[in-house]
């Protein structure tokens, strides 16, 4: 009862699955979502919750995490109780037995919808700018003097102006 209260106090959807990946627990936030069904054993079927365009990639990522016993992480759209989809990042961490086999999974789904919308607006603005623009990461030496930089992102106007194509990730030495 204490765990259930704690899980429901968190702002995320919290879930627990068995070693085979069958979800048997959701916190109270499950009421904010639609698309769940339960099988005969009382396990949740979450596939109806996932946006159809995200279902295959989500299922593949989950299946791989289950097979390898590795952390599960996937951004996808989940159906809310009002029928609209919102972006979430779902994460699951395996609890392993003494042999290293995943016997249970503890996970969350965190709403990142506003972040995704802001990223889309930023990308649209950045790409449409007439001015050349780049974002760089400065590399400093032991004396805190800048010695190099790495292009993080450039827009099309920057590429046109400089002739640098696909500069993201490239390191430039002073």
């Amino acid at each position: 009862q204490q765990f259930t209260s704690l899980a429901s106090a968190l702002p995320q959807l919290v879930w627990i699955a068995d070693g085979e990946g069958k979800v048997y627990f959701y916190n109270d936030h499950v009421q904010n979502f639609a698309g769940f069904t339960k099988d005969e054993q009382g396990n949740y079927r979450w596939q109806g919750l996932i946006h159809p365009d995200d279902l295959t990639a989500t299922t593949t990522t989950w299946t791989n995490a289950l097979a390898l016993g590795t952390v599960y992480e996937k951004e996808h759209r989940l159906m809310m109780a009002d029928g609209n989809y919102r972006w979430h990042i779902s994460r699951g961490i395996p609890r392993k037995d003494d042999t290293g086999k995943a016997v249970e999974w503890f996970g969350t789904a965190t709403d990142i919808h506003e972040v995704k919308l802001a990223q889309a607006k930023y990308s649209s603005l950045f790409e449409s700018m007439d001015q050349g623009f780049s974002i760089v990461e400065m590399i400093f030496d032991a004396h805190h003097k800048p010695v190099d930089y790495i292009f993080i992102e450039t827009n099309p106007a920057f590429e046109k102006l400089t002739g640098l194509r696909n500069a993201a990730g490239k390191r430039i030495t002073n």
Side-chain angles (χ1 to χ4, degrees):
Q1 188 174 7
Q2 286 177 323
F3 170 78
T4 301
S5 295
L6 174 62
S8 291
L10 296 172
Q12 295 100 339
L13 178 66
V14 176
W15 52 269
I16 304 173
D18 66 16
E20 297 175 1
K22 295 177 187 165
V23 178
Y24 63 86
F25 171 84
Y26 282 107
N27 67 351
D28 289 345
H29 293 297
V30 71
Q31 66 192 347
N32 299 325
F33 296 84
F36 289 109
T37 58
K38 282 190 175 182
D39 65 17
E40 305 78 40
Q41 290 78 35
N43 296 311
Y44 288 89
R45 294 183 189 199
W46 47 264
Q47 290 80 355
L49 168 72
I50 309 293
H51 189 284
D53 293 345
D54 303 333
L55 183 57
T56 299
T58 298
T59 302
T60 299
T61 302
W62 178 234
T63 302
N64 289 339
L66 286 172
L68 299 172
T70 56
V71 172
Y72 161 73
E73 183 171 304
K74 184 70 180 142
E75 290 184 10
H76 47 206
R77 290 162 288 179
L78 304 181
M79 188 189 314
M80 306 308 294
D82 64 4
N84 291 313
Y85 288 93
R86 291 184 63 86
W87 281 101
H88 286 74
I89 185 165
S90 293
R91 292 186 177 108
I93 298 172
R95 181 179 66 82
K96 298 181 179 183
D97 65 15
D98 293 340
T99 67
K101 179 183 177 190
V103 294
E104 200 169 32
W105 294 80
F106 296 92
T108 59
T110 304
D111 188 318
I112 59 167
H113 194 75
E114 301 306 323
V115 172
K116 293 290 274 189
L117 293 179
Q119 286 174 337
K121 286 180 184 178
Y122 160 79
S123 292
S124 176
L125 175 65
F126 191 70
E127 294 295 315
S128 66
M129 291 175 65
D130 292 335
Q131 297 80 19
F133 195 81
S134 67
I135 300 172
V136 298
E137 176 184 349
M138 298 299 298
I139 309 296
F140 298 92
D141 66 13
H143 304 290
H144 304 289
K145 181 178 177 180
V147 291
D148 296 338
Y149 58 95
I150 297 174
F151 284 105
I152 303 298
E153 197 169 348
T154 61
N155 70 350
F158 177 87
E159 291 184 0
K160 184 177 180 182
L161 180 67
T162 63
L164 289 172
R165 301 282 183 255
N166 302 314
K170 290 183 181 174
R171 186 173 180 150
I172 306 296
T173 303
N174 285 337

